[in-house]
Amino acid sequence: MSDDIRTKIGLRPVINVSGTMTSLGASIVVPEAIQAMEAILPQFVEINDLQRMASKVIARLTGAEAGFVTASCSAGISLAVAGAITGNNLLAIEKLPDMAPDKNEVLVQMGHVVSYGAPVDQAIRIAGGKVVLIGQATSTHRFHMENAITDKTAAAVYVVSHHVVDYGLLHLNEFVEIAHARGVPVIVDAASEYDLKLFLAQGADIALYSGHKFLGGPTSGIVAGKKELVRSAFLQNMGIGRGMKVGKESVYGVMAALEAWQKRDHHGIRERETGYLKLWKETLDGRPGVTALIEPDPTNNPLDRLRVVVSPSEAHITAWDLAAALSRGDHPVIVRDHEVEHRHFYLDPCNLHPGQEKIVAARLHEELEKARASNEIIATPFEDRSRHRFDGMLRWPD
Ligand SMILES: *Cc1c(COP(=O)(O)O)cnc(C)c1O
């Protein structure tokens, strides 16, 4: 571990079993992307030509007519929405987000308005979009969407995520059918999805991906879709897109990550991940108050995770206190804890360096043994966690 850059500069050597999290540095960038970035960084390039080349690679991998690279998937939402609002009107592009043309309404199902670290609706609003929520938190019906479409509707945004409500809403096929019947383009936020073709194949006009999630590229976003809409989104680089710009290294790095994705040994990686899950399950099986279940990804990515259910009366610790304990010490392990109030967290195997799975198993053993040996049940009230959630952030940089 002595050559670990993190310990050298005084950062904690966290082990990520949480997923592709921006707060942890997203993902392990693939060697192909690192080499590509290194090769292009010292050179001057004509950036729009480089983006033209990126368009070809994106088109080939996604089935889109065109594409480009931006700063993040979140930036992609803003740029795609802005493009749908302004078209190729260069003056309108400069005036955003004020004085958006009249046609600026953007439909979103209420159950899709989630936070991926920032609110989905904000990415629409900073592009001059007026968010029109359709349906209720757990129900959208055809009539909600049909009646919400007016002459001012510029686009409809559909979010694919484990965060969105997963029942009672319109599925993409029907969402597209209703939007297209009235000439409204559909923008799909597919930031975390493995399938680069599915959403465009289902009729989306634009699909957006993160370059730094499963693809293992540099921090970036991919905009893919119908040529005219993609071009209108690209033109926003002369407007609100400026603050979301990417350098040559990100454009070229993502191109390399996309090529590498095509050649990646997906089967081999799945097997390796399954091995990690089995090891952790064996480590946990039979422990009092702990149930370990291998579960598929909620949005059908070819990925399983281990769900660890913790019963405090027997394990002598709550799921959230266990998650917190794992995240401390010399070998901090960061688990996937967004549902921890349901008394479970997940272990995500997709961002590990080989060998780290054993440290994760050892840490699970260590913290669970410690809790069992405790005379009292370690149970911080859940409200305390919620109450203090942003304390550290609000003290930053101290
Ligand atoms: C991660 C994520 C985003 C944000 O992606 P960035 O590329 O980090 O901006 C947006 N939407 C969903 C559904 C996500 O999972």
Side-chain angles (χ1 to χ4, degrees):
M1 276 296 200
S2 60
D3 61 346
D4 189 323
I5 180 72
R6 299 172 300 177
T7 42
K8 272 191 204 158
I9 64 174
L11 290 171
R12 299 198 316 144
V14 289
I15 293 178
N16 177 13
V17 280
S18 138
T20 44
M21 300 294 162
T22 288
S23 58
L24 293 175
S27 62
I28 299 167
V29 176
V30 295
E32 291 89 339
I34 295 173
Q35 280 155 24
M37 289 189 280
E38 202 176 353
I40 207 160
L41 272 165
Q43 303 296 350
F44 291 104
V45 297
E46 290 164 284
I47 213 87
N48 289 343
D49 287 340
L50 183 62
Q51 287 273 28
R52 260 190 198 100
M53 298 174 86
S55 179
K56 290 217 170 69
V57 177
I58 293 168
R60 180 155 50 75
L61 268 93
T62 63
E65 293 172 6
F68 69 95
V69 182
T70 181
S72 62
C73 184
S74 185
I77 299 173
S78 299
L79 300 182
V81 165
I85 290 172
T86 64
N88 64 1
N89 178 340
L90 300 182
L91 186 62
I93 288 169
E94 278 195 0
K95 297 217 179 227
L96 285 186
D98 295 334
M99 311 218 355
D102 274 353
K103 199 168 169 160
N104 70 338
E105 294 186 354
V106 180
L107 309 187
V108 195
Q109 302 189 73
M110 197 180 277
H112 279 190
V113 183
V114 294
S115 173
Y116 44 73
V120 165
D121 62 293
Q122 187 177 40
I124 296 169
R125 288 186 282 113
I126 59 176
K130 187 168 161 232
V131 177
V132 175
L133 296 178
I134 52 176
Q136 292 87 37
T138 57
S139 59
T140 318
H141 301 297
R142 289 186 77 92
F143 68 84
H144 289 124
M145 185 160 178
E146 283 167 348
N147 286 292
I149 296 176
T150 69
D151 292 345
K152 293 182 169 184
T153 309
V157 170
Y158 189 98
V159 182
V160 185
S161 169
H162 64 278
H163 286 304
V164 303
V165 172
D166 63 359
Y167 63 94
L169 304 191
L170 291 172
H171 288 199
L172 182 58
N173 283 321
E174 201 174 357
F175 192 86
V176 165
E177 181 189 310
I178 297 166
H180 284 183
R182 301 278 295 276
V184 173
V186 172
I187 298 164
V188 175
D189 170 5
S192 276
E193 302 309 298
Y194 277 56
D195 196 322
L196 297 175
K197 292 204 161 126
L198 179 67
F199 310 103
L200 292 171
Q202 288 183 333
D205 298 277
I206 286 197
L208 306 164
Y209 294 90
S210 287
H212 49 266
K213 290 188 176 172
F214 295 120
L215 284 170
T219 305
S220 56
I222 293 168
V223 178
K226 298 266 165 61
K227 190 176 284 184
E228 203 176 320
L229 275 172
V230 168
R231 182 186 297 127
S232 298
F234 185 68
L235 290 174
Q236 308 300 322
N237 284 316
M238 296 192 288
I240 61 160
R242 177 64 184 206
M244 309 169 188
K245 81 171 173 188
V246 275
K248 56 198 172 186
E249 70 283 9
S250 296
V251 181
Y252 197 48
V254 172
M255 287 166 65
L258 282 166
E259 303 274 8
W261 178 253
Q262 230 184 353
K263 294 184 203 122
R264 199 185 282 197
D265 175 14
H266 292 278
H267 181 72
I269 290 173
R270 188 90 195 263
E271 276 191 353
R272 194 176 74 204
E273 291 174 356
T274 304
Y276 298 167
L277 295 176
K278 281 193 182 139
L279 170 71
W280 300 334
K281 186 162 162 44
E282 281 161 18
T283 305
L284 295 171
D285 277 347
R287 283 177 191 273
V290 181
T291 311
L293 307 157
I294 294 177
E295 290 188 354
D297 177 71
T299 60
N300 296 324
N301 285 311
L303 167 73
D304 294 333
R305 298 188 181 87
L306 193 69
R307 178 174 168 193
V308 182
V309 188
V310 184
S311 157
S313 57
E314 288 173 88
H316 291 187
I317 192 164
T318 66
W320 52 91
D321 286 297
L322 180 57
L326 288 165
S327 74
R328 292 190 288 258
D330 291 340
H331 296 291
V333 171
I334 314 295
V335 303
R336 190 175 179 86
D337 68 348
H338 61 286
E339 291 176 359
V340 81
E341 65 205 275
H342 290 317
R343 298 164 182 243
H344 64 242
F345 56 74
Y346 289 90
L347 302 176
D348 184 313
C350 75
N351 280 295
L352 287 179
H353 292 290
Q356 290 184 325
E357 75 282 5
K358 295 198 187 73
I359 305 178
V360 173
R363 292 284 291 122
L364 289 165
H365 171 82
E366 183 186 355
E367 295 302 338
L368 283 165
E369 288 292 310
K370 236 194 266 175
R372 271 297 284 181
S374 154
N375 290 327
E376 285 161 43
I377 296 175
I378 303 162
T380 314
F382 191 77
E383 313 80 79
D384 279 9
R385 196 183 128 93
S386 158
R387 195 172 283 130
H388 297 295
R389 184 163 188 134
F390 297 105
D391 286 4
M393 197 59 176
L394 290 171
R395 273 197 310 271
W396 187 93
D398 300 320

